[in-house]
């Protein structure tokens, strides 16, 4: 899952332009959310499809499903064409209800404005490309692992990184467990670096906890921030146009 705390809503201080962005549609973001939810509901992880059975049969179906569509680092670099596609297919597979809902919440909160800023086509390629590379980076660092890795966390982390660069002043409302889950509002330049620090600490303790790919979060966040900086960070130079002369000055 993408993080240890949940962001529930956000706002900006961009005046009328900011409010326009908040109301604008984001078909790619909504489409990704719908696709992930649909695949989860029809797959074995949701436990709603009777064709996968129950009990031990359901658990076996889940393991087979994750192995087929998820990233298995030990198999990825063996050269099999099917394995090379798994960093893309794994982005649409989630292991539990909590995993799905947590990721989709973050995608909804941060994806809408990021898509509006980048544009639909560019955002779609950005999401898929960064997500693929984030999972590939995790697999390269754990190339002997036989555990299946699934989830959109790497791609969504890239969205967070791009959001931080594009909208550092956006106000993010967060629920922090160590503050009794009180809803507090902070600018993105405070919340998201704090989130990165949590991922960094968690990555160092990855062997002591559940199988969460914190390294993929960090790789994705770095890719997203770097892409936004390279694509939108340089100011556009506009060649000045001479002002028209006042009436009468062009007379000979």
């Amino acid at each position: 899952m993408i993080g240890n705390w949940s962001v529930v809503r956000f706002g900006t201080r961009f005046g009328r332009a900011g409010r326009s962005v908040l109301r604008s549609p984001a078909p790619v973001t909504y489409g990704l959310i719908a696709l992930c939810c649909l695949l989860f509901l029809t797959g074995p992880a949701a436990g709603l499809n009777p064709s996968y059975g129950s009990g031990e049969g359901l658990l076996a179906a889940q393991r087979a499903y994750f192995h087929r569509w998820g990233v298995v680092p030990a198999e990825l670099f063996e050269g099999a064409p099917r394995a090379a596609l798994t960093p893309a297919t794994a982005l649409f597979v989630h292991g539990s209800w909590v995993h799905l809902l947590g990721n989709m919440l973050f995608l909804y909160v941060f994806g809408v404005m990021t898509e509006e800023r980048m544009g639909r086509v560019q955002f779609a390629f950005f999401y898929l490309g960064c997500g693929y590379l984030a999972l590939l980076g995790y697999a390269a660092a754990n190339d002997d692992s036989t555990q299946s890795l699934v989830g959109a966390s790497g791609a969504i982390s890239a969205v967070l990184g791009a959001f931080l660069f594009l909208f550092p002043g956006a106000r993010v409302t967060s629920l922090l467990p160590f503050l009794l889950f009180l809803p507090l509002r902070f600018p993105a330049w405070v919340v998201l670096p704090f989130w990165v620090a949590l991922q960094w600490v968690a990555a160092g303790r990855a062997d002591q906890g559940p199988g969460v790919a914190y390294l993929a979060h960090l790789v994705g966040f770095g890719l997203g921030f770097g892409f936004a900086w390279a694509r939108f960070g340089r100011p556009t130079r506009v060649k000045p146009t001479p002002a028209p002369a006042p009436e009468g000055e062009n007379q000979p």
Side-chain angles (χ1 to χ4, degrees), residues 3 19 30 34 39 52 85 102 120 133 136 139 152 194 215 222:
R19 291 193 295 271
Y30 297 145
L39 293 176
Y52 290 105
L85 295 176
R120 300 173 183 177
L133 292 175
L136 187 65
F194 178 70
L215 179 59

Side-chain angles (χ1 to χ4, degrees), residues 156-180:
I156 299 172
S157 296
V159 174
L160 266 62
F163 187 95
L164 175 61
F165 183 86
L166 297 173
F167 308 104
R171 290 283 177 172
V172 180
T173 301
S174 305
L175 302 178
L176 303 179
F178 55 84
L179 293 179
L180 303 178

